[in-house]
Amino acid sequence: MQKVNRNRLVAIFLVMAGCFVNLAGCAAPCRAAKGPARATNIIFMVPDGMGLSDVTAARIFKNGPDGAGLYFEQLPGIGYQRTHSADSTVTDSAAAASAWACGEKFNNGEISWHTGPAGPRPVTILEIARTLGKAAGLVVTAPITHATPAAWAAHVHSRRCQAEIARQYIAETGVEVLLGGGIGGTPQNHGCERYPVRNKSAVLALAREYGYTHVTTKAQLDAAARRRVPKLLGLFAKKAKSPETFRVDPGAAYPENEPTLADMTRAALDILENDPDGFFLMVEGSQVDWANHANDLAYQIGEILGFDEAVKTVQDWLARDARRKKQTLVIVVADHDCGGFAVNGPYGNLSKAGDIVEDGWTSDNHTAVDTIIYSQGPGSDNLNAAVDNLSLIHISEPTRQL
């Protein structure tokens, strides 16, 4: 990784346990950080493309209109964020995740990389964690090289250059845990030919060279987690993982030996928690977005419930050790809304648990609607505000030390 001032690295990492302030366009100023509490671990969880109406529909299906909230709704902190990118009112996942990771606005399609003479290469919060001796993990239901995970651990001009993204995960950033679908290749006409690695075979060879344990089934994943292998690459599909539609339709098939998002999250925690310096973990429910692109409500609900089970996995892990809860910041936030989904009914008839609401859609693409931030842990009270998505990486005391 490029050399940068260590004080700056420390200061930026402390954002996740300090104040999220009006340094880069917050919609409202944040309060000063309270006391010395600081996060040793950060778990950043992304239900990609999820809007507030999506939450309502999933909650009604699972628990009924008067039932308990979803697990992430039970986190004590709540705020919301703006989502626009540098060049578009409506963002894509690449620009949105890059804003979180680097604290700067990017054009749609860019992965923590400014096209043209925009100054030095940005540094991501995951790279900062690695510099400070912390472990890191990326867990998704899309291909592991998709836009949202890529932004934390790679720098490329186009989200399409997925083989290069994988190479950087392994050879440059050194992410210890990589779990998801497959690895994308190098398409034509996107300028990806400039990069040295262009296919999955080359990536797998590189992973072996760098000491990664490669697994492809749930049984292998569980065994690797029990052994606490130091580096883990789990690829459980050729492209994306199987949708978790069985959570809505009990008759829907799900591959017996393919891990769910919750399974992968559990395995990642088992491995990352062994680093005494702490860790950074990003978990994405990638296919909420795809369901909304398709205006498919059953698909959407299944993916949100699958993501929510991953949140429960994190909550259960925290509950087993009081120190974990004291030292871990959990953030749940969607990168953008998708589909313009609304709960249109029933009107004049009260839904019950197990019901799928009447749906309405304004789009089959992303929208510019603000998204909700749910949080708990050190510094999370500073997220109870209206902020910009890039504001999550800025703090009020840039010279604080670990």
Side-chain angles (χ1 to χ4, degrees):
M1 191 184 75
Q2 65 177 14
K3 292 183 179 180
V4 294
N5 182 278
R6 188 179 188 278
N7 286 348
R8 178 173 178 269
L9 295 181
V10 172
I12 295 175
F13 192 81
L14 283 170
V15 65
M16 298 297 188
C19 182
F20 296 68
V21 300
N22 191 19
L23 294 181
C26 287
C30 304
R31 293 181 295 279
K34 297 178 180 178
R38 297 171 181 175
T40 301
N41 311 311
I42 298 169
I43 304 176
F44 200 105
M45 307 188 74
V46 182
D48 195 297
M50 185 185 78
L52 185 55
S53 293
D54 305 24
V55 179
T56 304
R59 183 197 323 119
I60 289 174
F61 177 85
K62 183 179 180 184
N63 297 323
D66 295 321
L70 301 176
Y71 293 113
F72 61 79
E73 288 187 281
Q74 297 172 34
L75 299 179
I78 188 165
Y80 63 96
Q81 64 159 20
R82 303 175 184 182
T83 64
H84 65 280
S85 68
D87 67 344
S88 180
T89 300
V90 177
T91 191
D92 77 339
S93 294
S98 296
W100 284 333
C102 302
E104 303 174 22
K105 290 290 186 180
F106 293 82
N107 294 336
N108 284 2
E110 294 176 336
I111 298 293
S112 297
W113 169 290
H114 292 295
T115 301
R121 189 175 84 171
V123 181
T124 76
I125 195 74
L126 184 148
E127 290 172 321
I128 292 165
R130 300 289 296 116
T131 299
L132 298 177
K134 297 178 184 290
L138 301 171
V139 176
V140 302
T141 58
I144 190 60
T145 48
H146 224 242
T148 300
W152 304 94
H155 302 271
V156 293
H157 73 284
S158 171
R159 59 184 291 175
R160 307 296 178 189
C161 305
Q162 294 191 47
E164 171 62 13
I165 288 167
R167 185 196 70 79
Q168 292 187 28
Y169 287 167
I170 293 165
E172 294 189 15
T173 314
V175 182
E176 284 88 347
V177 177
L178 297 163
L179 303 176
I183 293 173
T186 302
Q188 299 295 319
N189 304 320
H190 289 282
C192 303
E193 61 276 359
R194 72 182 71 176
Y195 299 117
V197 173
R198 302 185 187 180
N199 58 63
K200 179 179 177 179
S201 297
V203 171
L204 292 179
L206 192 66
R208 288 191 294 271
E209 178 184 341
Y210 277 79
Y212 282 81
T213 297
H214 175 210
V215 301
T216 59
T217 68
K218 182 179 185 301
Q220 292 172 348
L221 174 68
D222 292 344
R226 285 193 299 271
R227 298 199 313 273
R228 305 296 196 265
V229 298
K231 294 183 179 180
L232 180 61
L233 174 63
L235 305 174
F236 304 105
K238 290 184 178 180
K239 294 182 179 179
K241 287 182 52 2
S242 301
E244 298 191 20
T245 313
F246 68 89
R247 299 187 185 278
V248 176
D249 178 6
Y254 189 81
E256 182 178 352
N257 210 13
E258 181 180 326
T260 64
L261 183 61
D263 293 330
M264 294 189 297
T265 301
R266 185 178 303 107
L269 290 169
D270 285 345
I271 292 171
L272 296 175
E273 69 174 347
N274 292 290
D275 191 314
D277 297 311
F279 63 82
F280 177 92
L281 172 63
M282 194 286 299
V283 177
E284 184 194 31
S286 319
Q287 296 183 43
V288 177
D289 181 60
W290 302 357
N292 287 340
H293 277 294
N295 292 178
D296 187 331
L297 181 53
Y299 185 11
Q300 175 209 96
I301 293 172
E303 292 306 298
I304 290 175
L305 294 180
F307 173 81
D308 199 45
E309 284 298 312
V311 175
K312 181 179 185 298
T313 296
V314 169
Q315 294 291 71
D316 290 345
W317 177 81
L318 293 171
R320 288 196 293 271
D321 187 331
R323 291 172 299 177
R324 292 174 179 170
K325 192 167 185 178
K326 184 177 180 180
Q327 297 172 353
T328 304
L329 173 62
V330 179
I331 298 173
V332 175
V333 58
D335 47 355
H336 52 73
D337 174 78
C338 183
F341 169 70
V343 177
N344 284 350
Y347 180 81
N349 181 37
L350 187 63
S351 301
K352 61 182 183 301
D355 285 351
I356 292 180
V357 298
E358 297 172 11
D359 55 330
W361 306 83
T362 65
S363 173
D364 60 2
N365 212 329
H366 300 172
T367 79
V369 173
D370 296 349
T371 60
I372 305 297
I373 306 168
Y374 306 88
S375 63
Q376 76 172 35
S380 61
D381 58 310
N382 298 300
L383 284 171
N384 303 337
V387 300
D388 192 284
N389 61 0
L390 58 75
S391 303
L392 275 65
I393 203 172
H394 293 284
I395 61 171
S396 59
E397 299 174 79
T399 60
R400 284 178 69 185
Q401 298 293 309
L402 285 174

